Amino acid sequence: MPDQALGIVGLGYVGLPLALAFAEAGNEVVGLDLDAGKLADLAAGRSYIEDVDDAELAAQAERLSATSDYADLEDCAAVIVCVPTPLSSSREPDLSYLRDAAASIAAHLQPGQLIVLESTSYPGTTREELLPALSAGGRTVGEDFYLAFSPERIDPGRSDHTIRTTPKLVGGITPACTEHARDLYARICDTVEVLSSPETAELAKLLENIFRSVNIALVNELAVLADRMHIDIWEVIDAAATKPFGFMRFDPGPGMGGHCLPVDPFYLSWRAREYDFVPEFIELAGKMNQAMPYVCVERIVRALNDAGKSVRGSRIALLGVAYKPGVGDTRESPALKILELLREHGAEIVYHDPHVHELPQFALGGSDLDAALDGADLAVIVTAHPDLDLERVVRDAPLVVDLRGVTRGIDAPSVVRL
């Protein structure tokens, strides 16, 4: 592949760290995004992604540029697509961002360019959505342009596994496409695993996340059962985890959030129906995980009742509203559903999250921990950020519902755990 600039379409949680990784490896990178706010931040040297700090952007300012014009990608040897692939309101795949990007790239496609899709989708997306758009006008894949799928494996907030150290999967439409994609990612990844097709890579990505979804659903269901049986689910999991083989630990919680786990199983379920197959196991896991905010609210209501209080009129402090510790991402966060349900029950809600300063959809601003706990009837640990002072929460709140099991080392009668 010629030593030319690289293009990254979509500068979000996946695209911006990827663009930075290529720039740090010595490549000229043209990032494209249609969000004017992101472009303004990048022009000013400000990062809007917690995994990327301003100093890292400044260090690569000469190699990394940002634009909203697809024509600026014409000089790029490769273009990597990292656009959102969300679900529609009816929980079906929404490929509108991907289709728009494919059409715009096709309008400026240059001879010999490599196009790689990283956005998660169902098996067949690369071949059925991107290939026809890019082949328009008689272009031949593997000769006039190259096309591959390589699933993103970004885990926001994580530092022990990086883009460099995490193996990269690639699967091209043709062997030449695969070879070009392998050479591209070898610049920034220590290990590149070559697969036989884009469909194999697409399904591998879904398997990674569905594996977690199914196992989280299992322990969530067991947590509900253990509660009815008056057995401590956390002690059960700790005990099972002592087995050195044949067991992998998963912990229960208020539900799944983020850009992968709550979405990916539905992509495969939707696709499976085209093959007269209903993935009941996968769908049951999704149903269980979606039900967990309701289970958690029931547990909160019961805790208040046991203390002689009604949820209506009670002041409840939610601690952590991001979907996972250490990040400010609230996409699909179960905290938002819990907040909505508690409000419907008549509770007064305040929240504390050092990574999320406001929730405009609820007309709520975040509070510091002192203000959140002041006058609270109950505190709910929804997402336990690393800097959350658990001893202080248990000391200052008259009642604590711990949905993450993080207070297990604290012996206090005021604590109720999931």
Side-chain angles (χ1 to χ4, degrees), residues 150-232:
S150 180
E152 60 86 8
R153 283 175 160 176
I154 297 288
D155 189 4
R158 188 160 198 158
S159 58
D160 54 340
H161 296 290
T162 65
I163 291 176
R164 169 64 66 182
T165 62
T166 302
K168 200 78 170 81
L169 306 181
V170 297
I173 296 291
T174 70
C177 295
T178 302
E179 182 180 349
H180 278 68
R182 181 198 63 201
D183 291 345
L184 170 66
Y185 286 107
R187 302 181 187 186
I188 61 168
C189 300
D190 291 337
T191 303
V192 179
E193 298 287 348
V194 172
L195 303 180
S196 61
S197 68
E199 289 81 3
T200 303
E202 288 162 341
L203 186 53
K205 170 61 176 181
L206 294 178
L207 173 59
E208 293 171 12
N209 289 332
I210 290 171
F211 171 81
R212 292 180 61 199
S213 171
V214 167
N215 281 281
I216 290 170
L218 173 63
V219 294
N220 279 338
E221 186 170 63
L222 287 176
V224 176
L225 174 60
D227 176 59
R228 295 189 184 184
M229 299 174 74
H230 304 291
I231 298 173
D232 184 347

Side-chain angles (χ1 to χ4, degrees), residues 13 47-53 56 156-157 322 326-329 354-356 385:
Y13 284 84
S47 174
Y48 44 85
I49 302 295
E50 287 173 295
D51 287 347
V52 175
D53 60 40
E56 290 177 298
V327 305
D329 192 349
H355 301 275
V356 182
H385 288 298

Side-chain angles (χ1 to χ4, degrees), residues 227-249:
D227 176 59
R228 295 189 184 184
M229 299 174 74
H230 304 291
I231 298 173
D232 184 347
I233 187 61
W234 300 101
E235 185 180 4
V236 170
I237 295 171
D238 287 343
T242 63
K243 185 180 180 182
F245 55 89
F247 182 82
M248 180 178 291
R249 182 182 184 121

